[in-house]
Amino acid sequence: MKVVVTSTGPDLDSRMDSRLGRAEKYVFVDTNTLETIASDNPAGFASAGAGVQSAKFIVEQGAEAVLTGNCGPNAFSALAAGGVEVYVGSCLTVRDMVEAFLGGKLRRVSGASVESHFGMRGNS
Amino acid sequence: MSSHTHKEAVPYNAPAGRPALRIAFASGKGGTGKTTVATNLALVAAAAGEEVTYLDCDVEVPDGHLFIKPEMMSRREVTAGIPRLDMALCDVCGKCGEFCRYSAITVIGKKVLTFPGLCHHCGGCMLVCPVGAISEKAQPIGSVEEGAGRGVRFVQGLLKVGALAAPPVISAVKEAAADGLVILDAPPGTSCPVIETLRDSDFVVLVTEPTPFGLNDLAIAVEMLRMMSLPFCVLVNRARPGATQVADYCADKSIDIIAEIPDDRRIAESYSRGEMIIETVNGVRVIFEGLFERLCDVAGAARRGTRGRHIEGAP
């Protein structure tokens, strides 16, 4: 299964980023092999609509689930349209997030976990 | 593509054959005194016999009414278009989503999503749709109120709380402009709402203060006005002896300083009570009378295309 973790760095040992649309990087992880592909967030500095743009990017990259800290309403709608599941939790590293996901310890959300612009406050 | 609800404007008897002279008051930095200068000038101009219309274009926080205290006579809603999709026609080509830089319309897989809260009402998605599947739906984004007070015709816009795009409301405020002298009170900064306020004005007064922040933001506003090819001058508010950085900058850039208002605690106190400082603080009225006289000269000359050498701005 291909999941994506919002991250501050490029690999499994990087600190996760609790923001989705304003995350620094995305680390795509194959949960079977733990192979990773890191990508900059193309929408991280968008003036507006970062959640939607990043969600579109994640859908296009073929991720089946997003593991993040918080997800706003616009990003959630866009991810749902692309059939991507959203799991939230608070771990230290990308690896911890993947392990928590595989251990069933992340919460799957069926709607936004925070309001719009939450990630603009510099939460990380 | 913004559209406004059009209703009868408040009756206004403009002097025949007197086309409007539009003077805008802007600044880079906020809180430099745009509204103080614009409202006091409006009263001085009205006292001199001008037909004055004051347009409060700072539609996120209009505050000119605190000083002119107008009696409002009419109010109309302003709407702006958001996309409405006809999925029976849409073939999910994705062109609308590629066009929209705000992702207000986004194509994901075979689904087209619209996010009205992100829409800037440009109408581009409707133009680029090859099959005409997108039409415009009017969404209320604010209002325009008209009235009068202190011998001045008064118009203000108010953006709805949570609405994103101020320019359509500002545009609706400007539609209410009449002949005579039109004073536009701009929002601070140099972003879209400021551009919308200033464009097609005859002359701009940049109100600044002699502080590092004031100067920094003044320089940005000067760049903006040069790009817009608008003639302008600078007014220094809260001027203090020895605080010469703004004057030095203006001298270096050959920008005219049209007036200085001194840093005076009595002015601040009077302003904080919502008073007109031309009426409460000795010596202020004469500053505004001089400002009005000079502005009529330079702005009128700029409009006629015969502006003097001391006036900044490309033709």
Side-chain angles (χ1 to χ4, degrees), chain A residues 59-117:
Chain A
V59 171
E60 286 167 354
Q61 297 301 308
E64 294 162 76
V66 177
L67 317 184
T68 187
N70 299 295
C71 180
N74 291 342
F76 186 84
S77 300
L79 289 167
V84 179
E85 297 174 353
V86 179
Y87 292 84
V88 298
S90 177
C91 300
L92 190 62
T93 65
V94 172
R95 186 190 304 276
D96 294 342
M97 281 296 277
V98 173
E99 283 174 4
F101 170 70
L102 293 174
K105 288 176 183 155
L106 295 185
R107 182 166 60 93
R108 182 177 171 191
V109 292
S110 54
S113 68
V114 288
E115 74 275 33
S116 292
H117 299 138

Side-chain angles (χ1 to χ4, degrees), chain A residues 7-112:
Chain A
S7 175
T8 60
D11 53 43
L12 285 172
D13 296 315
S14 303
R15 193 164 55 87
M16 74 164 285
D17 194 328
S18 67
R19 303 167 301 175
L20 176 56
R22 301 288 173 184
E24 284 181 46
K25 289 189 187 299
Y26 297 123
V27 179
F28 295 87
V29 183
D30 182 323
T31 55
N32 297 320
T33 63
L34 290 188
E35 280 177 61
T36 61
I37 300 170
S39 166
D40 286 332
N41 174 4
F45 293 102
S47 61
V52 177
Q53 288 171 43
S54 61
K56 185 175 165 66
F57 174 73
I58 286 167
V59 171
E60 286 167 354
Q61 297 301 308
E64 294 162 76
V66 177
L67 317 184
T68 187
N70 299 295
C71 180
N74 291 342
F76 186 84
S77 300
L79 289 167
V84 179
E85 297 174 353
V86 179
Y87 292 84
V88 298
S90 177
C91 300
L92 190 62
T93 65
V94 172
R95 186 190 304 276
D96 294 342
M97 281 296 277
V98 173
E99 283 174 4
F101 170 70
L102 293 174
K105 288 176 183 155
L106 295 185
R107 182 166 60 93
R108 182 177 171 191
V109 292
S110 54

Side-chain angles (χ1 to χ4, degrees), chain B residues 187-271:
Chain B
T190 50
S191 61
C192 296
V194 180
I195 306 276
E196 178 61 37
T197 303
L198 301 186
R199 69 175 180 199
D200 64 38
S201 43
D202 294 303
F203 196 80
V204 181
V205 178
L206 288 176
V207 181
T208 190
E209 61 183 26
T211 65
F213 287 126
L215 177 58
N216 179 77
D217 293 0
L218 171 67
I220 297 169
V222 164
E223 276 182 55
M224 168 186 71
L225 290 174
R226 284 185 170 154
M227 289 181 76
M228 295 176 76
S229 298
L230 286 174
F232 64 94
C233 66
V234 164
L235 184 149
V236 181
N237 190 19
R238 295 194 275 277
R240 298 188 310 275
T244 62
Q245 61 268 61
V246 169
D248 295 343
Y249 166 83
C250 290
D252 183 51
K253 301 281 180 187
S254 307
I255 298 168
D256 185 33
I257 294 179
I258 196 158
E260 291 191 347
I261 299 171
D263 187 26
D264 184 332
R265 187 180 171 90
R266 291 172 304 166
I267 292 177
E269 287 177 358
S270 181
Y271 158 90

Side-chain angles (χ1 to χ4, degrees), chain B residues 48-70:
Chain B
E50 289 284 334
E51 296 286 349
V52 181
T53 301
Y54 169 90
L55 304 180
D56 199 334
C57 297
D58 191 359
V59 301
E60 289 174 72
V61 212
D63 61 351
H65 66 93
L66 297 172
F67 301 94
I68 293 181
K69 300 180 175 67

Side-chain angles (χ1 to χ4, degrees), chain B residues 1-6 78-82 119-124 126 136-139 141 165-172 175 196 199:
Chain B
M1 204 170 291
S2 63
S3 59
H4 316 299
T5 49
H6 294 273
V78 180
T79 64
I82 57 170
C119 182
H120 283 53
H121 321 296
C122 74
M126 279 167 267
E136 193 175 58
K137 180 173 143 195
Q139 173 170 268
I141 60 162
V169 179
I170 295 170
S171 170
E175 280 173 19
E196 178 61 37
R199 69 175 180 199

